[in-house]
Amino acid sequence: MRLKLTDVAEKAGCSPTTVSRVINNYGYISQKTRDRVYAAMRELNYQPNTLARSLQGKRTKMIGVIMPSITNPFFAELVAAIEDKLEADGYKMLLCDAGQDSNKERRYLRMLEANQVDGIIAGSHNLGIEEYQLYGLPIVSFDRDLSDQVPIVTSDNYQGGCLATQALVDAGCGHVYFVGNPVKTGNPTSRRFDGYADTVAAAGLTVHTARSAFYESPAAKARELRELLTSGRKIDGVFCSDDLTAILLLKEARKLGIRVPEDLKIVGFDGTQLVQNYVPELATVVQPVPDLAGTLVKLLYERIADPEKKLAQNSYLLPVKLLRNQTV
Amino acid sequence: MRLKLTDVAEKAGCSPTTVSRVINNYGYISQKTRDRVYAAMRELNYQPNTLARSLQGKRTKMIGVIMPSITNPFFAELVAAIEDKLEADGYKMLLCDAGQDSNKERRYLRMLEANQVDGIIAGSHNLGIEEYQLYGLPIVSFDRDLSDQVPIVTSDNYQGGCLATQALVDAGCGHVYFVGNPVKTGNPTSRRFDGYADTVAAAGLTVHTARSAFYESPAAKARELRELLTSGRKIDGVFCSDDLTAILLLKEARKLGIRVPEDLKIVGFDGTQLVQNYVPELATVVQPVPDLAGTLVKLLYERIADPEKKLAQNSYLLPVKLLRNQTV
DNA sequence: TATTCTCTGTCAAGCGATTGACATATTTGT
DNA sequence: ACAAATATGTCAATCGCTTGACAGAGAATA
């Protein structure tokens, strides 16, 4: 049988109430008793049943994190950073990999509610805004407008688009393409395109795009990129809306004997540690993963502490950084 | 206020007991009442409080997954596969990223116990075997001998080492190196080296190794590899104990003008989708991630269903597959 | 000495559900 | 028509812990 409060009380030679008081730091307790109780707890390796505590009204200290697949290195690093912060503060993370499955996301949402999580960090884009309204839980969102009651944290995608494109223009590119996800309204990622478009226009150049679905297979994407490069169109610079696409492009270019950066310059987006480590030549726009995680978590704590409090800010736009490298 | 059983009862016009009976499928219930209750639940969007249910004796349907960092694509894919299976069966995953921090792992272990998880999947290597004995919880381990009471699931690392090395030998290599993690006793990963060593010996060749710490920085690792390649030693084949190392080696070789595979052949290990997609030229030994996840989960379910049941097998060795590619 | 503070204990209610015992209808089957 | 099976309700205990009310003892303060 699992140990309970009364076992500790017996061991420490005091009443269960006293043990509870020690644990909850409630009422008058002498240092001597306190020590005796802690000693007993240690000796028995006792852990209070969090279920019972939470049922009684205490926080569960459990946070639901809903994200697209962590097989994408960017989300893996973001989730890892979030997890690390949560753990440091005694929170537990229920990781909900929603993928592209809106039913799964919906199931997860209900599940999190049923499990009385203290709050939710939502980074998936499968469900409509309405579905998130139903739940009276503290929510913070990553990269997604949910409602004006839900703070949104995101990288400055527009600035990133500008920085990347400007770098290409500065490097002398006259035919700069945008390669990436199709524009989806409400998805802040599309701001990367806006930054690109504005910068290209300001430089007196034309907007050229080649979009492909985010979740399309890499092989299919590679084929598309190959076609783009062999289409005969004049291209000397490409801003890819994510690093993985940039890597594919880089590979295809090399296979075709196109020299990077001499003939073609490439800038990616995301700047994960993984890509920085294993494709160090790639120029990219680095999202501030630790800051994103820190902000998300901090805001969530505030919401948990006082769910009614009006938000100082609804939207948090964190600055990105251009990493110049060999591909530009 | 959150809804409770009595709210549903009121809405459905029946007693709380009846509602509970519907939910738990217990006792006699007419189809008509059943429908009415379900309708009321749907209408109110009611979710039974899992805390209360579990406190009362029901399973929490929560599984703790302790793994090294998911920033490593292999673990990310493994965790994603585990998560997917768990979710499909109505389980929730508490993800515990233990990294290399034994204190964190210890904290997580206690936390999982306090949260009454139904079981644990452990893939971290920071804690001694003893620390896992304390907990009377169903545990299944990945890649780690914990005790003969804990089933261990792992890829056939030895076979992988053999396959990789044999491929290099067959391709005509006469000086085959092993590059990878230092041998750690009790770590099944070291079996990769054993496979390498035996195969090299069988071919009448000599064992050569260049080991570096798993968690060393990639930059430092790259330097080491560069030194190895420029040391003047005769090397025409390398078996890397993981793909990331193989990628670094590949890059360093190319930078040095060493042609792969003409001058140097390389085989990696892990074969994640990510690496297959973005470094498709790399020959590697593919770990069967979906099978690993499936086996881990299945075994855990068995342990949960009957923790006392003697294990049919303590150890599950899943076959790996050699992926021949351009680097060999 | 009287008063206040500190410490500890007993007792009981409550968190939201499950489940057994028991009673009472209503519906079947024969 | 009568027993059996089915359907529902009431009531209370329980899961493990928290917390308030209350009492009494010892220590410190006025």
Side-chain angles (χ1 to χ4, degrees):
Chain A
M1 206 35 221
R2 257 176 177 134
L3 293 167
K4 30 193 199 171
L5 206 60
T6 51
D7 298 316
V8 179
E10 203 174 323
K11 184 96 186 173
C14 65
S15 74
T17 305
T18 303
V19 176
S20 174
R21 280 179 183 149
V22 169
I23 292 174
N24 294 286
N25 216 6
Y26 170 81
Y28 291 116
I29 295 286
S30 71
Q31 194 55 47
K32 224 178 75 193
T33 326
R34 204 182 292 274
D35 293 344
R36 270 216 326 281
V37 169
Y38 276 128
M41 282 172 56
R42 239 191 319 280
E43 203 169 332
L44 296 173
N45 197 20
Y46 169 77
Q47 293 285 109
N49 184 329
T50 57
L51 260 40
R53 305 189 77 193
S54 302
L55 180 57
Q56 197 282 330
K58 293 241 181 274
R59 301 247 133 95
T60 55
K61 301 227 96 185
M62 215 152 60
I63 303 291
V65 175
I66 307 182
M67 286 283 166
S69 181
I70 56 167
T71 53
N72 180 316
F74 173 74
F75 288 109
E77 293 186 8
L78 182 61
V79 167
I82 290 173
E83 184 273 347
D84 203 55
K85 296 208 188 301
L86 289 179
E87 199 277 337
D89 298 318
Y91 280 90
K92 300 158 278 281
M93 178 180 75
L94 275 170
L95 180 57
C96 309
D97 189 330
Q100 338 164 42
D101 184 342
S102 56
N103 282 322
K104 196 174 174 192
E105 185 166 348
R106 194 171 293 116
R107 284 200 303 274
Y108 261 133
L109 223 39
R110 312 202 78 207
M111 181 277 276
L112 292 175
E113 205 189 17
N115 279 274
Q116 324 291 126
V117 295
D118 291 343
I120 293 179
I121 295 178
S124 266
H125 294 194
N126 304 311
L127 254 40
I129 294 177
E130 330 74 49
E131 310 235 23
Y132 275 89
Q133 315 277 45
L134 292 170
Y135 309 87
L137 273 167
I139 302 190
V140 175
S141 130
F142 171 69
D143 241 6
R144 176 85 200 269
D145 279 315
L146 284 177
S147 93
D148 44 346
Q149 291 316 302
V150 175
I152 164 174
V153 176
T154 182
S155 295
D156 193 338
N157 289 297
Y158 180 80
Q159 180 207 16
C162 295
L163 284 173
T165 312
Q166 193 60 52
L168 291 167
V169 170
D170 289 348
C173 298
H175 306 270
V176 179
Y177 273 62
F178 176 88
V179 172
N181 309 326
V183 177
K184 230 170 138 189
T185 46
N187 184 340
T189 303
S190 67
R191 298 286 293 154
R192 294 178 195 171
F193 173 76
D194 298 340
Y196 155 82
D198 287 357
T199 307
V200 152
L205 304 178
T206 328
V207 166
H208 297 286
T209 68
R211 297 170 172 290
S212 56
F214 182 48
Y215 287 107
E216 208 177 307
S217 87
K221 233 177 186 167
R223 251 192 318 269
E224 260 180 48
L225 294 171
R226 185 184 199 85
E227 279 165 26
L228 177 66
L229 292 176
T230 54
S231 66
R233 280 182 265 182
K234 227 174 146 32
I235 308 177
D236 53 12
V238 177
F239 167 41
C240 297
S241 73
D242 66 293
D243 284 344
L244 295 182
T245 304
I247 292 172
L248 290 178
L249 180 64
L250 190 55
K251 284 191 115 54
E252 292 304 321
R254 282 176 178 158
K255 272 197 252 168
L256 293 167
I258 300 172
R259 290 170 309 158
V260 177
E262 293 82 354
D263 307 331
L264 177 69
K265 303 191 201 304
I266 301 176
V267 180
F269 204 108
D270 281 348
T272 54
Q273 289 300 317
L274 190 77
V275 170
Q276 285 191 38
N277 284 331
Y278 295 95
V279 192
E281 69 270 32
L282 182 67
T284 186
V285 176
V286 181
Q287 295 202 56
V289 170
D291 283 357
L292 289 168
T295 309
L296 284 165
V297 168
K298 201 196 71 199
L299 286 174
L300 189 59
Y301 291 165
E302 288 175 15
R303 298 252 78 182
I304 291 173
D306 184 358
E308 303 307 324
K309 196 170 147 203
K310 271 276 159 261
L311 298 166
Q313 247 179 296
N314 176 45
S315 167
Y316 293 77
L317 216 56
L318 305 190
V320 297
K321 225 174 53 200
L322 178 70
L323 194 67
R324 289 176 189 283
N325 267 323
Q326 289 102 289
T327 62
V328 72
Chain B
M1 204 36 220
R2 259 178 176 134
L3 293 167
K4 31 192 197 172
L5 205 59
T6 50
D7 299 316
V8 179
E10 202 174 322
K11 184 96 187 171
C14 63
S15 74
T17 304
T18 303
V19 176
S20 175
R21 279 177 183 148
V22 168
I23 293 173
N24 295 285
N25 215 7
Y26 169 81
Y28 291 116
I29 296 286
S30 72
Q31 194 55 46
K32 224 179 75 194
T33 329
R34 202 182 294 275
D35 293 344
R36 269 216 328 280
V37 170
Y38 277 127
M41 283 173 53
R42 240 193 318 280
E43 202 168 331
L44 296 174
N45 199 19
Y46 167 78
Q47 293 286 108
N49 184 328
T50 57
L51 261 40
R53 305 189 78 192
S54 302
L55 180 57
Q56 198 282 332
K58 292 239 182 278
R59 300 250 135 95
T60 55
K61 300 230 96 186
M62 214 151 60
I63 302 292
V65 174
I66 308 181
M67 286 283 167
S69 180
I70 55 165
T71 53
N72 180 317
F74 174 73
F75 289 110
E77 293 187 7
L78 183 61
V79 167
I82 290 172
E83 185 273 347
D84 201 57
K85 295 207 189 306
L86 289 178
E87 199 276 339
D89 299 318
Y91 280 90
K92 300 158 280 279
M93 179 179 75
L94 276 170
L95 180 57
C96 309
D97 190 330
Q100 339 164 41
D101 184 341
S102 57
N103 282 323
K104 194 173 175 193
E105 184 165 348
R106 196 172 292 115
R107 283 200 303 275
Y108 261 134
L109 225 37
R110 311 202 77 208
M111 180 279 275
L112 291 175
E113 205 189 17
N115 279 273
Q116 325 290 125
V117 294
D118 290 344
I120 294 178
I121 295 177
S124 267
H125 294 193
N126 305 311
L127 253 41
I129 294 175
E130 330 74 47
E131 308 234 25
Y132 274 90
Q133 315 277 44
L134 291 172
Y135 308 86
L137 273 168
I139 301 189
V140 174
S141 133
F142 171 69
D143 243 7
R144 176 84 199 270
D145 280 314
L146 283 177
S147 92
D148 43 347
Q149 290 316 304
V150 175
I152 166 175
V153 175
T154 182
S155 295
D156 193 339
N157 288 297
Y158 179 81
Q159 181 207 14
C162 294
L163 285 173
T165 312
Q166 193 60 51
L168 292 168
V169 170
D170 290 349
C173 298
H175 307 270
V176 179
Y177 272 62
F178 176 88
V179 172
N181 309 327
V183 177
K184 231 169 136 189
T185 46
N187 183 340
T189 304
S190 68
R191 299 285 293 152
R192 294 177 196 172
F193 173 77
D194 299 339
Y196 155 82
D198 288 358
T199 307
V200 152
L205 304 178
T206 329
V207 165
H208 298 287
T209 68
R211 296 171 173 292
S212 56
F214 181 48
Y215 287 108
E216 208 177 309
S217 85
K221 230 175 188 171
R223 253 191 319 268
E224 260 180 48
L225 293 171
R226 184 183 199 85
E227 279 165 26
L228 178 66
L229 292 176
T230 54
S231 64
R233 279 183 266 180
K234 229 177 145 27
I235 309 177
D236 54 11
V238 177
F239 168 41
C240 296
S241 72
D242 65 293
D243 285 344
L244 295 182
T245 304
I247 291 172
L248 291 178
L249 180 65
L250 191 55
K251 285 192 111 56
E252 292 304 321
R254 282 175 178 159
K255 272 197 249 171
L256 292 167
I258 300 172
R259 291 170 308 158
V260 178
E262 294 81 355
D263 307 331
L264 177 69
K265 300 189 203 308
I266 301 177
V267 180
F269 204 108
D270 281 348
T272 54
Q273 290 300 317
L274 189 77
V275 171
Q276 286 190 38
N277 284 331
Y278 295 96
V279 193
E281 69 269 34
L282 182 66
T284 186
V285 175
V286 181
Q287 296 203 55
V289 169
D291 283 357
L292 289 169
T295 309
L296 284 165
V297 168
K298 201 195 72 199
L299 287 173
L300 189 60
Y301 290 165
E302 289 177 13
R303 298 252 78 183
I304 290 173
D306 185 358
E308 304 306 324
K309 195 169 149 205
K310 272 276 158 261
L311 299 166
Q313 250 178 293
N314 176 43
S315 166
Y316 293 77
L317 215 57
L318 305 191
V320 296
K321 225 175 52 201
L322 177 70
L323 194 66
R324 286 176 192 285
N325 269 324
Q326 289 101 289
T327 62
V328 71

